[in-house]
Amino acid sequence: MEPAIIVHGGAVKFSGEKVGRALEGTKNAASRGYRILIQGRSAIDAVQAAICELENDPTFDAGTGSPLTSEGDIEMDAVIMDGRTLESGAVAAVKNVKNPIVLARMVMENTPHCLLVGQGANQFADEEGVPRISKEKLITEENRNKLLEFKSSYGKAVMNDFSTRDHDTVGAVAIDKDGNIAFGTSTGGITNKRPGRVGDSPLAGIGGYADNKVGGISCTGHGESITRVALAYDIISKMKYANMTIQAAADEALSEMSEKLANAENNFSAGVIGIGKDGVPVYSFKTEQMAWAWARNGKLHNGVNPGDDDVYSVEIDSDSTLIKDD
Ligand code: GLY
C-alpha cells in the first residue's frame, strides 16, 4: 500500500496573518507524519507525531494554544484509534499536559479503558511519569485576550452563544505500507466553555473513527453539533452500508448535518479529513476555511480556502526539506 497522511488544523475562519501560520503548521505536521510512514513505521506512530507537531504550535487550538475555560483554565481532550484492532484511547478535560495525544495513546496501550477524564486522567499521567507543564506555558496572549474580550463584550447573558468562538481542533488520519489506518483528534475546546465541558473530539465515533475495513476520519468544528449527528460514524456508515466513496460520504454527511440542525439553537458547521481503504486522502468542510495538508507519492498538498492546492515535493533524504512545485 502507498503510505499517506492527511492533517487538519481546524475548520474555522483564520484571521489575517494566522492564514500563513496555519498553512505552515499543517504542512510541517503532514511532512513529519509522512516521513515516519516512508521509513516503514506505523500509521498510529505517524498520527501521533503529526498531532504532537500541531499541539506544540500555538497557532492551533490543541495543546499549547488551547483556549481558556470560563475560569481561565486549560482543559484538553484527545483521542487516538488503531483501525487494525479498533482499539482506541482518549483523555478529556485533562490539565497540565503538553501533548494530550501521547497520553491518549498511553490510555489505549496501558489500560483496559477507552477514555479517562479530568482528575483520573491526570492521576494516570502522573503514574505514567508524564511531566506536568504549568498552564501558563499552554496559554497564549491571544487566547487570554480572547477570553477577556468574550467576557467584556458579551457577558453572562450570551454565555451559550458559541457562534463567536473559534473551534479549530487539530487531527490526522494515516494509512501505512501494510494498509493499517489510524486517526487522532486533539483540542482545547472552545473559549469560555464551562469547566468540565467536553465536545466531540475525544469520542471515538463522533470526533473521528478508524477501521481498516472502511477508512479513517477526523472531525473539526462545533463539538455539540458534531455530537448531535455522530459525524464520524455517520460518514463511516455511508461508506460501509451505502457503498459510498469517502469523498461522497463526507460531503453528504456535512450537508445533512447543516439541514438536520437548521433549526437548532446552535447550528454550526464542521469539517472533516479522511482516508478510505483505497489510501486516497480527502477533505470536506462547510466552514469558510479549514487548514489542511496531505502527503502521498512524494508530494505534499496544502491549503486553507476552498480550491487551494499548493503542491510541494518531499525530499526523502532530508528531515524536513519541501520544495514548492511550480
Ligand atoms: N470540536 C472541538 C470542540 O468543540 O470541543
Side-chain angles (χ1 to χ4, degrees), residues 212-262:
N212 277 7
K213 294 204 165 96
V214 189
I217 297 289
S218 170
C219 303
T220 162
H222 180 238
E224 283 72 5
S225 301
I226 293 171
T227 303
R228 282 183 188 121
V229 299
L231 185 58
Y233 208 79
D234 192 26
I235 296 169
I236 294 287
S237 298
K238 288 178 190 301
M239 296 165 69
K240 197 168 165 180
Y241 303 115
N243 221 15
M244 291 175 81
T245 65
I246 189 165
Q247 185 72 65
D251 293 347
E252 187 172 283
L254 285 171
S255 295
E256 285 175 359
M257 176 178 165
S258 302
E259 282 160 28
K260 281 180 197 160
L261 302 184

Side-chain angles (χ1 to χ4, degrees), residues 77 167 169 187-190 197-201 220-224 226:
D77 311 326
H167 358 91
T169 304
T187 190
I190 51 180
R197 176 268 186 191
V198 175
D200 60 302
S201 300
T220 162
H222 180 238
E224 283 72 5
I226 293 171

Side-chain angles (χ1 to χ4, degrees), residues 4 46 105 152 159 175 219 255 261 281 285 291-292 300 303 310 323 325:
R105 183 159 176 192
S152 62
M159 284 283 270
I175 187 163
C219 303
S255 295
L261 302 184
F285 55 98
W292 54 265
L300 187 144
D310 291 340
I323 297 159
D325 291 7

